[in-house]
Amino acid sequence: MKKAFVKSYGCQMNAYDAGRMSDLLASQGYAATESVEEADVVVLNTCHIREKAADKVYSELGRLRVLKTARAEAGLDTRIVVAGCVAQAEGKEILARAPSVDVVVGPQNYHRLADLLTRSASMRVVDTEFPVEDKFDHLPIRRTAAVSSFLTVQEGCDKFCAFCVVPYTRGAEVSRSVDAILDEARKLVRGGARELTLIGQNVNAYHGAGAGGVPVALPALIRALESIPELLRLRYTTSHPNDMAEDLIRAHGEIAALMPYLHLPVQSGSTRVLQAMNRKHTSDEYRRLIERVRRVRPDIALSSDFIVGFPGETDVEFEETMRLVAEIGFASAYSFKYSPRPGTPAAERDDAVPEAVKSERLAALQSLLDAQRHAFNASAVGHVVEVLVEKAGRHPGQVAGKTPHLLPVQFDAPTAAIGTVVPVRVVRAGSNSLFGEAVTDGAAAA
Ligand code: SAH
Ligand code: SF4
Ligand code: F3S
């Protein structure tokens, strides 16, 4: 049997796409392998978001070239596919830079992967034109699914933040229909999923076709999904502050299956920088939005993304980001040094912040965010939390799962608990995970 190695380098949608490509290759007779040396097809699902992410691809392609030559000497054929957002952004330039690559395929075209592989027998192929058809209509159905699975409901972005490549690599905002999503969700649940995270670059701008083709917003989609028996938990990511509508905020207080966790990127605490980033909201508007969310759901865990060292960011403006973080308090967050991306407006600016200053700011911000994360994790100790068990744990007899606040928990239980929600008393908070004991006496009050 032929083997395929598929690797994801990017965001949750990139990981989801990688999964769908594995399923497609499986339907063509390729078994999935974790070992690149034995793969007949190697797919790198690339990310273009920061320079480092894109650079990784070329160093990996260098290694693959050596591997491909070695396999060819042993009479084995190897096809190398570059998929994802670098493929979309660089297209045929990749063929020029990396002689070992056979196929370049964009994030909206990977449903044609089997055909592209066949064509690549006689020539190297590039497929990055946005297609008219919907890739989801041409992808095979998955039979097994992780307990906690992703489901793409919306793709692309019309926001054009000054630093970001996503509107160029993923294209314009498109929402899938409620029926298509329900259909996939039911299949995932049949395959073992008990939690679904609805994903989209701007998921809270969701406006897919509902009954009679009338567009519906995210809360209506969440309510439709909630009615699927055996689907215990729902989450959604990533949201933009400007699309955080009142009914979506209210849904956090009304829908039991919707978990108390919100990833809401703010990028900066300075209104001047936010304007330069084309984020179209002020730092106080973000604060007020968080207040409204907390009024509806006081225990919600908040998460965000930050960029430090955007061109022109002053020390005072960076301090405004620190102040915002200190005031709000985040359960978790991602923070990055600004990385200029070709083709984006911010990359044209001539007021770059020196690398050393960016590093200093990132270290300061991350130490504050780390302290907040540790405090949040520690606050769970002594409480009983509902854990959705996802898999076997690190040690025999242990299982691992997540709390409603998305904190990983390890505890002793038989693997039969996988896919169920177990009340667990948290006894200790490690740096990456909580440790606890299953509550069996029914006295599960926190
Ligand atoms: N709305 C998107 C954001 C994708 S990018 C989503 O669905 O997640 C994820 C994060 O990467 C952004 O929120 C931003 O903080 C960061 N990012 C994007 N472009 C960047 C750049 N040029 N340099 C540094 N960080 C960047
Ligand atoms: Fe990028 Fe901004 Fe769109 Fe998010 S909202 S994907 S950061 S352009
Ligand atoms: Fe990267 Fe593309 Fe996701 S650039 S972050 S893989 S949308």
Side-chain angles (χ1 to χ4, degrees):
M1 198 176 188
K2 289 191 167 188
K3 292 190 172 140
F5 173 91
V6 181
K7 184 166 172 182
S8 162
Y9 286 85
C11 59
Q12 287 149 327
M13 191 174 289
N14 182 285
Y16 170 89
D17 291 338
R20 305 249 18 198
M21 281 188 265
S22 297
D23 296 337
L24 176 71
L25 290 168
S27 77
Q28 301 293 312
Y30 289 91
T33 177
E34 305 269 298
S35 140
V36 67
E37 288 79 14
E38 60 174 28
D40 304 287
V41 169
V42 176
V43 180
L44 305 183
N45 201 25
T46 61
C47 175
H48 198 57
I49 202 80
R50 284 168 290 275
E51 202 174 346
K52 257 194 206 153
D55 284 350
K56 258 191 230 162
V57 179
Y58 286 101
S59 50
E60 184 71 33
L61 286 172
R63 284 192 289 275
L64 286 174
R65 187 183 187 182
V66 177
L67 180 67
K68 186 172 176 164
T69 310
R71 279 176 52 96
E73 279 161 12
L76 298 166
D77 179 47
T78 315
R79 294 295 159 80
I80 297 177
V81 179
V82 176
C85 290
V86 176
Q88 189 62 46
E90 297 184 1
K92 62 178 187 311
E93 279 172 50
I94 297 173
L95 297 186
R97 246 181 101 176
S100 60
V101 173
D102 301 285
V103 176
V104 175
V105 61
Q108 306 306 352
N109 308 56
Y110 65 77
H111 55 297
R112 300 177 182 154
L113 187 54
D115 176 45
L116 295 169
L117 281 170
T118 309
R119 283 168 47 201
S120 74
S122 54
M123 63 186 285
R124 305 166 84 197
V125 284
V126 177
D127 188 0
T128 54
E129 289 290 316
F130 289 133
V132 282
E133 76 275 14
D134 179 353
K135 67 175 177 249
F136 294 114
D137 293 337
H138 304 272
L139 287 165
I141 297 144
R142 282 178 285 172
R143 294 214 177 79
T144 58
V147 170
S148 178
S149 288
F150 295 133
L151 202 178
T152 294
V153 303
Q154 177 278 337
E155 216 177 322
C157 183
D158 300 338
K159 297 268 190 300
F160 292 92
C161 299
F163 51 80
C164 184
V165 292
V166 171
Y168 312 97
T169 63
R170 289 274 166 179
E173 259 180 52
V174 178
S175 297
R176 297 177 70 190
S177 73
V178 173
D179 279 348
I181 294 164
L182 280 173
D183 182 53
E184 186 172 337
R186 287 195 193 98
K187 282 167 184 150
L188 291 172
V189 170
R190 221 174 294 146
R194 294 294 174 266
E195 170 176 279
L196 292 180
T197 302
L198 311 180
I199 55 174
Q201 273 85 32
N202 262 302
V203 73
N204 59 344
Y206 176 84
H207 57 275
V214 180
V216 303
L218 191 59
L221 175 66
I222 291 171
R223 283 178 211 276
L225 287 162
E226 192 203 8
S227 64
I228 298 177
E230 294 185 282
L231 181 54
L232 306 175
R233 291 180 168 185
L234 287 161
R235 302 177 185 278
Y236 63 92
T237 198
T238 294
S239 301
H240 191 287
N242 291 357
D243 292 315
M244 211 58 218
E246 185 56 37
D247 58 347
L248 182 57
I249 296 178
R250 247 186 295 121
H252 277 279
E254 294 169 357
I255 303 176
L258 184 59
M259 291 295 105
Y261 184 95
L262 179 63
H263 181 65
L264 196 60
V266 63
Q267 317 296 357
S268 167
S270 153
T271 294
R272 214 269 321 151
V273 173
L274 287 170
Q275 264 158 9
M277 287 176 165
N278 194 31
R279 294 289 292 182
K280 299 198 170 91
H281 64 80
T282 67
S283 114
D284 280 344
E285 278 161 353
Y286 185 83
R287 284 183 176 85
R288 282 199 291 276
L289 181 55
I290 296 298
E291 271 169 32
R292 280 163 59 213
V293 173
R294 278 184 164 153
R295 224 172 289 140
V296 171
R297 192 74 215 225
D299 67 330
I300 201 157
L302 295 169
S303 157
S304 199
D305 291 344
F306 297 90
I307 295 178
V308 301
F310 185 79
E313 184 189 65
T314 64
D315 282 336
V316 172
E317 287 164 345
F318 169 67
E319 285 308 320
E320 290 181 67
T321 299
M322 294 292 278
R323 186 146 49 83
L324 179 97
V325 172
E327 279 170 29
I328 291 180
F330 291 95
S332 73
Y334 299 90
S335 44
F336 314 96
K337 285 194 253 184
Y338 167 73
S339 167
R341 305 309 292 129
T344 61
E348 308 290 311
R349 295 180 55 142
D350 55 10
D351 50 355
V353 172
E355 207 48 38
V357 176
K358 282 193 217 172
S359 301
E360 241 170 68
R361 290 180 188 168
L362 187 67
L365 177 60
Q366 290 189 336
S367 100
L368 177 58
L369 289 167
D370 274 352
Q372 293 188 340
R373 184 168 58 85
H374 286 136
F376 187 82
N377 293 358
S379 71
V381 175
H383 291 276
V384 174
V385 291
E386 300 277 312
V387 178
L388 173 60
V389 183
E390 292 178 16
K391 56 186 181 193
R394 242 170 276 151
H395 303 292
Q398 257 188 359
V399 292
K402 300 226 176 64
T403 70
H405 289 147
L406 209 58
L407 299 178
V409 186
Q410 310 259 342
F411 65 101
D412 286 341
T415 50
I418 293 171
T420 68
V421 172
V422 178
V424 174
R425 186 174 301 281
V426 180
V427 293
R428 185 165 69 82
S431 51
N432 295 313
S433 185
L434 303 175
F435 298 88
E437 290 160 359
V439 177
T440 48
D441 60 7

